[in-house]
Amino acid sequence: MSELRLENVFGVSKDQVLSYVEREEVDGLFAEALQSDKQIVVYGASKQGKTSLVDKHLPYKQNIVVSLTPKFTLTDIYKSVLRSSGIDIETMSQKSMCTSNQAAVEANLQAKVPTLLDSGVSGSLQQVNSETETKSIKSIDLNLELPNDIAFVLNKIHSKKIIVLENFHYLKEEVQKEFAYDLRSFQELGVRFIILGVWREKNRLIQFNGDLLDRIFEIPVEPWEKEDFKKVAQIGSEKLNISIANDFLDQLIDDAFDSIGVVQELLKSVCEKSSIKNRQTKQVEIVDIKILEQAKSEKVHSYGSRHLRALEAIAEGRKNAKNTKSDDLKTMPLYLPYYTVKAFLDFDFNEVVAGIKRSKLESKIKSFHHRRDDVRASDMSNLLYNFATLQSEKQIKPPIFDFDKTTQMLRVIDSTFYFFLRNSDKNEILGTIPNPTIN
């Protein structure tokens, strides 16, 4: 048996850590969802346990997992699903449909498993004979844009695997909308998806397609309660044969500001600073609060480097020919991305936690904007509706902000950002961000 190491117990990892805690209101709901025939959406801020939840109850290695990026189209998703199912895709021909504004791709799928397809299937199925190939291989004409075709192939190979789509929030909004309509069809066709997304408002996919109402199970992974964090520390401590003083643990949890990711990282860091790298032969007690302060300072610096770069990138906005310098404030561009960051940092911390209403954000921006009378509602709409795209273009992964069109609310969706913001000087942060109105 291999030695139990610290990284197996505490910290944020792609693998399941041994300090995982089951929460009835979350794990119980997910287990219930798995017993239904509905599609499942797991959502919440980043590093709040979405992947761990799914992997705990539905091992990734036993199902189909597609990690999405902003470059994915709908057909890219379906190609990945089919290839992960052991199906080779070969494009034999391509033609444009005159009655549609999209191109339809006809491709032959070759399934290399002998018993993959029925011998009695007719229609577009054709027997492939080969003197050198002893396996029975069939090809199927497939339109990768149609969920019926995708479901047909998956059902033919008797695939019972559930498809997990990670980082759904990275997809462009139009792709998310297209998939929301296909998801309704997949539900009727018996193909199940689990969608993981970084947002905090419910009914995200239902906003795109009202027919999904009562057809999907939505599971928020937040909030985390203080007792949940204590259970994580207790389970991990037992694994490592350590004990953490109650006042020490209370302070650690308060400092983490409701983020399981930060709790895990702080627990790992204090263990490292206490020279605990594996299971201890004799129980070790962690009591020195100075160790926590060191760990916290280290994590603020670690998170701060990323978040400062992200805020600078957002404030910079999209560079184009119109954003030319000018000495006259009246003719300068609006620089709304910069003013949005400035306004956000000017809000009280508790207001940030609750989410910023668009109307309050707009008023704050106008209060110190160099062309306040020229900031129109349409300008704000263009900025906020494309906030996700801007962050994607700036390679901010995971995104820090999400604007919900239904509630007209700007929210923080990176749980580590709260920790960073709470433990930093906001004026100092703003001072590091170049002001585009100053030459």
Side-chain angles (χ1 to χ4, degrees):
M1 183 177 178
S2 60
E3 181 183 41
L4 182 64
R5 301 187 61 79
L6 173 61
E7 55 265 29
N8 304 135
V9 180
F10 289 135
V12 175
S13 171
K14 64 181 180 61
D15 299 316
Q16 193 75 253
V17 291
L18 298 176
S19 56
Y20 182 90
V21 166
E22 291 196 24
R23 298 173 289 162
E24 179 57 35
E25 67 276 16
V26 177
D27 293 76
L29 186 61
F30 187 79
E32 180 184 348
L34 286 176
Q35 296 302 313
S36 73
D37 64 349
K38 296 181 179 181
Q39 310 289 16
I40 302 174
V41 177
V42 180
Y43 67 97
S46 63
K47 295 182 178 64
Q48 288 289 58
K50 294 181 293 297
T51 298
S52 296
L53 169 69
V54 177
D55 192 40
K56 179 71 174 180
H57 300 275
L58 194 78
Y60 273 29
K61 293 180 181 179
Q62 298 176 19
N63 291 278
I64 299 171
V65 180
V66 180
S67 185
L68 304 173
T69 73
K71 295 181 180 180
F72 266 70
T73 64
L74 210 54
T75 56
D76 291 332
I77 296 173
Y78 298 153
K79 282 180 183 178
S80 295
V81 169
L82 293 176
R83 284 170 178 160
S84 297
S85 302
I87 298 170
D88 289 336
I89 301 175
E90 181 180 0
T91 303
M92 303 300 293
S93 62
Q94 183 170 336
K95 66 179 181 179
S96 297
M97 301 292 289
C98 298
T99 57
S100 171
N101 59 359
Q102 295 180 331
V105 177
E106 291 183 355
N108 287 335
L109 302 185
Q110 292 186 331
K112 295 184 178 180
V113 180
T115 58
L116 218 50
L117 300 172
D118 301 336
S119 60
V121 177
S122 59
S124 61
L125 297 181
Q126 298 176 350
Q127 182 69 41
V128 176
N129 297 314
S130 172
E131 295 179 358
T132 59
E133 178 60 74
T134 58
K135 296 178 181 179
S136 176
I137 300 175
K138 293 182 179 292
S139 61
I140 303 173
D141 289 335
L142 175 70
N143 186 335
L144 285 170
E145 295 179 348
L146 299 179
N148 295 66
D149 283 21
I150 307 301
F152 176 79
V153 175
L154 292 175
N155 288 331
K156 282 301 172 185
I157 63 172
H158 308 294
S159 175
K160 299 300 181 184
K161 294 180 178 180
I162 294 179
I163 302 163
V164 181
L165 299 182
E166 284 200 319
N167 302 321
F168 190 79
H169 52 280
Y170 283 157
L171 296 177
K172 295 178 181 178
E173 185 170 298
E174 56 266 30
V175 179
Q176 293 185 32
K177 288 180 179 178
E178 290 173 358
F179 181 77
Y181 280 94
D182 283 3
L183 192 62
R184 166 73 168 80
S185 299
F186 280 123
Q187 199 266 341
E188 291 187 336
L189 295 165
V191 177
R192 298 192 67 191
F193 285 83
I194 295 178
I195 297 146
L196 281 68
V198 174
W199 57 77
R200 303 188 104 161
E201 298 291 339
K202 64 185 302 185
N203 298 331
R204 174 64 66 95
L205 294 187
I206 293 175
Q207 293 175 23
F208 297 144
N209 181 9
D211 280 344
L212 289 176
L213 187 65
D214 297 326
R215 296 178 184 275
I216 60 175
F217 238 112
E218 291 193 295
I219 303 171
V221 293
E222 300 173 277
W224 281 81
E225 303 296 337
K226 189 171 184 177
E227 289 306 311
D228 297 325
F229 295 134
K230 287 187 173 182
K231 289 178 184 178
V232 168
Q234 178 184 353
I235 292 174
S237 296
E238 291 173 356
K239 298 289 184 182
L240 294 170
N241 194 25
I242 64 175
S243 66
I244 303 175
N246 288 331
D247 57 343
F248 186 104
L249 183 58
D250 286 340
Q251 185 62 52
L252 184 150
I253 292 172
D254 288 342
D255 289 339
F257 201 78
D258 299 332
S259 170
I260 184 59
V262 177
V263 167
Q264 286 281 10
E265 285 295 300
L266 286 177
L267 286 169
K268 181 181 179 181
S269 183
V270 297
C271 285
E272 290 173 336
K273 295 183 182 307
S274 302
S275 299
I276 298 169
K277 297 182 180 180
N278 45 41
R279 179 174 173 80
Q280 304 296 288
T281 54
K282 292 183 179 180
Q283 190 175 77
V284 175
E285 185 177 16
I286 299 177
V287 296
D288 189 356
I289 202 71
K290 292 181 180 178
I291 294 176
L292 176 58
E293 292 302 317
Q294 292 172 6
K296 185 171 71 172
S297 177
E298 185 179 87
K299 296 313 295 182
V300 169
H301 181 267
S302 174
Y303 294 143
S305 298
R306 172 184 175 266
H307 292 320
L308 280 173
R309 287 196 301 271
L311 289 175
E312 288 174 3
I314 293 171
E316 182 185 54
R318 292 186 177 92
K319 287 187 175 181
N320 53 56
K322 294 180 180 180
N323 288 347
T324 54
K325 289 286 185 179
S326 171
D327 293 329
D328 185 358
L329 290 176
K330 294 181 180 180
T331 61
M332 277 187 182
L334 292 177
Y335 296 124
L336 282 181
Y338 167 77
Y339 280 106
T340 299
V341 171
K342 182 177 180 178
F344 185 85
L345 292 173
D346 197 58
F347 281 106
D348 180 77
F349 183 76
N350 290 327
E351 291 181 284
V352 171
V353 174
I356 308 298
K357 273 285 190 183
R358 170 183 165 152
S359 56
K360 294 185 67 175
L361 178 65
E362 189 171 339
S363 296
K364 177 81 72 173
I365 288 174
K366 288 182 176 180
S367 70
F368 44 60
H369 199 281
H370 65 279
R371 290 172 52 192
R372 67 189 65 186
D373 294 334
D374 296 327
V375 178
R376 302 165 300 178
S378 59
D379 296 320
M380 291 300 301
S381 295
N382 183 59
L383 171 73
L384 294 173
Y385 290 176
N386 291 287
F387 223 54
T389 302
L390 174 61
Q391 292 175 92
S392 175
E393 290 175 353
K394 296 293 184 176
Q395 300 296 307
I396 300 173
K397 302 176 183 179
I400 295 177
F401 302 106
D402 177 60
F403 181 73
D404 187 273
K405 293 182 182 179
T406 301
T407 61
Q408 293 290 290
M409 189 85 74
L410 183 67
R411 291 184 180 274
V412 171
I413 52 174
D414 185 328
S415 63
T416 66
F417 188 78
Y418 287 125
F419 174 78
F420 160 71
L421 203 60
R422 192 182 194 188
N423 293 285
S424 303
D425 185 329
K426 291 192 292 184
N427 289 326
E428 186 176 318
I429 294 172
L430 186 59
T432 65
I433 299 174
N435 185 339
T437 67
I438 301 176
N439 291 324

